[in-house]
Amino acid sequence: MQSSASARPRLYRKDLFNTPRHSIRVSRHILADGFLAHDHDFLEIALIGGGRGIHHTVHGPQTLAAGDAFIIRPNAWHAFQQCRELVVCNICIGLDLLEGELRWVRNDPALAYLLWSGPVTHERGGSVGLRLSTAAQRVCQQHFQVLLRLQEDAAPSARIERIGTLLLILGHLARDMGPAHRAASARTPALHRAVLEGIRLLQAHLDQPWTLPVLAARLAIDPAYLVRLFKAQTGLPPLAYLARHRAERAAMLLLQTDRPIAQIGAAVGWDDPNYFARRFRAYFGVSATTYRARFSALASPVAPPAPPVPSRVQTVAD
């Protein structure tokens, strides 16, 4: 099946969360085939509970099995393919919770890395993948089941219990993230306020003609200092980070719509088709036309935002 211009390439918080005050949505999917390429405006944590499948991100495919876990930052695309009873336990977290009640976790180097600085670094490309021990996998699944059991509980205290259970899962992910991630978290500083806000602005307004002075003025910070902050915490200066995200968003639109390539370039801020072609090839190594042809299978079948294609689904929203 071909993707269409009416297909929705994004999963939106407003579509998945029951009310504006809800900040956590939990769902369990058993994928018998796959789920199309998509991105979203919330943070996603996925725990693989069993089965087999392939997880695709901007950096390529990864074979999945029980015990795998990954964290996907907002605006990064991913897809599942060739699934055989792949059990995916999703925890979707609204940014309002991360930037509000859970803001304090940025003080923990491991959690700050997993939830903020790790996924935005250049080499991670939007996601952090983990391989959990058998013990950590078992405990995380138990906590996940607690979140599922709380789905009908509307008591005010239930929100506290859900957030507490989420913190228990995050704690196990941080403790079991492995030496490579732990070393990276030790040398990666917590994201500065200006970097967080800069990322938000750039991602929300891709089509704007951003320059370093304009972005620095919006953030009320010295341009040279902003460059140093971005390079230290994401591996890229601000405009290079913007270019990367433009390329990633263009890739998502190529997979999820049949819009003309020039139109996609304009939508992400690259109005000149020749310039768009050069920048896209520089990032992905192939032309936009080749990319669309090579990976179009990841966008099939076209599906509504929620729920995914699974044969059995359980959901709960906080």
Side-chain angles (χ1 to χ4, degrees):
M1 182 185 299
Q2 296 298 314
S3 60
S4 69
S6 62
R8 298 185 64 177
R10 309 203 74 194
L11 304 187
Y12 287 95
R13 184 188 190 284
K14 63 182 178 63
D15 297 325
L16 270 68
F17 295 78
N18 288 348
T19 72
R21 67 175 291 275
H22 290 158
S23 301
I24 304 171
R25 177 189 167 101
V26 177
S27 57
R28 182 177 183 271
H29 310 291
I30 302 177
L31 300 179
D33 186 9
F35 184 44
L36 76 172
H38 64 284
D39 62 354
H40 33 69
D41 62 355
F42 47 82
L43 184 90
E44 177 182 341
I45 299 173
L47 308 172
I48 305 302
R52 296 285 176 180
I54 296 177
H55 184 228
H56 289 266
T57 67
V58 69
H59 282 317
Q62 173 193 354
T63 300
L64 295 176
D68 287 328
F70 49 90
I71 299 166
I72 303 290
R73 68 168 169 81
N75 301 295
W77 73 263
H78 65 130
F80 295 99
Q81 202 177 41
Q82 300 177 28
C83 300
R84 297 294 178 267
E85 296 297 302
L86 183 71
V87 180
V88 183
C89 299
N90 288 115
I91 306 171
C92 302
I93 308 171
L95 295 184
D96 58 316
L97 180 63
L98 291 175
E99 296 172 358
E101 292 165 277
L102 297 185
R103 185 183 182 90
W104 61 269
V105 304
R106 292 183 197 168
N107 297 324
D108 180 275
L111 287 179
Y113 170 80
L114 289 179
L115 301 180
W116 282 284
S117 59
V120 304
T121 54
H122 178 59
E123 64 270 18
R124 300 296 173 197
S127 66
V128 172
L130 308 175
R131 179 66 185 170
L132 302 180
S133 65
T134 301
Q137 178 189 354
R138 181 175 62 253
V139 174
C140 285
Q141 289 292 336
Q142 290 171 351
H143 291 318
F144 185 87
Q145 292 301 318
V146 172
L147 290 176
L148 284 174
R149 288 199 299 272
L150 291 170
Q151 62 181 324
E152 301 298 337
D153 195 337
S157 59
R159 175 177 172 80
I160 299 174
E161 189 173 355
R162 282 189 283 268
I163 293 175
T165 304
L166 170 63
L167 288 172
L168 290 173
I169 293 174
L170 291 176
H172 283 285
L173 295 180
R175 285 193 295 271
D176 212 48
M177 66 182 185
H181 288 306
R182 191 165 300 282
S185 71
R187 62 176 179 265
T188 304
L191 287 182
H192 190 278
R193 173 204 60 82
V195 176
L196 281 170
E197 180 63 13
I199 288 173
R200 187 192 68 79
L201 283 172
L202 295 176
Q203 292 181 347
H205 306 285
L206 279 182
D207 59 341
Q208 297 300 304
W210 289 105
T211 65
L212 179 60
V214 168
L215 179 62
R218 289 285 299 272
L219 298 172
I221 192 171
D222 177 73
Y225 183 46
L226 181 61
V227 170
R228 291 197 297 273
L229 285 175
F230 256 82
K231 290 186 70 173
Q233 300 189 347
T234 73
L236 296 170
L239 296 188
Y241 183 91
L242 171 64
R244 186 190 80 178
H245 187 64
R246 280 174 166 165
E248 291 175 354
R249 183 63 182 156
M252 185 73 256
L253 292 173
L254 287 168
L255 297 184
Q256 274 288 308
T257 76
D258 58 6
R259 294 164 64 178
I261 290 175
Q263 189 181 104
I264 289 175
V268 300
W270 286 329
D271 295 332
D272 183 336
N274 292 325
Y275 185 72
F276 169 55
R278 292 196 302 272
R279 296 309 300 265
F280 191 90
R281 182 183 288 274
Y283 191 77
F284 290 104
V286 297
S287 69
T289 301
T290 300
Y291 189 95
R292 172 177 266 171
R294 182 176 296 175
F295 299 108
S296 59
L298 296 180
S300 257
V302 173
V309 184
S311 54
R312 297 183 291 284
V313 180
Q314 294 174 289
T315 62
V316 53
D318 170 45

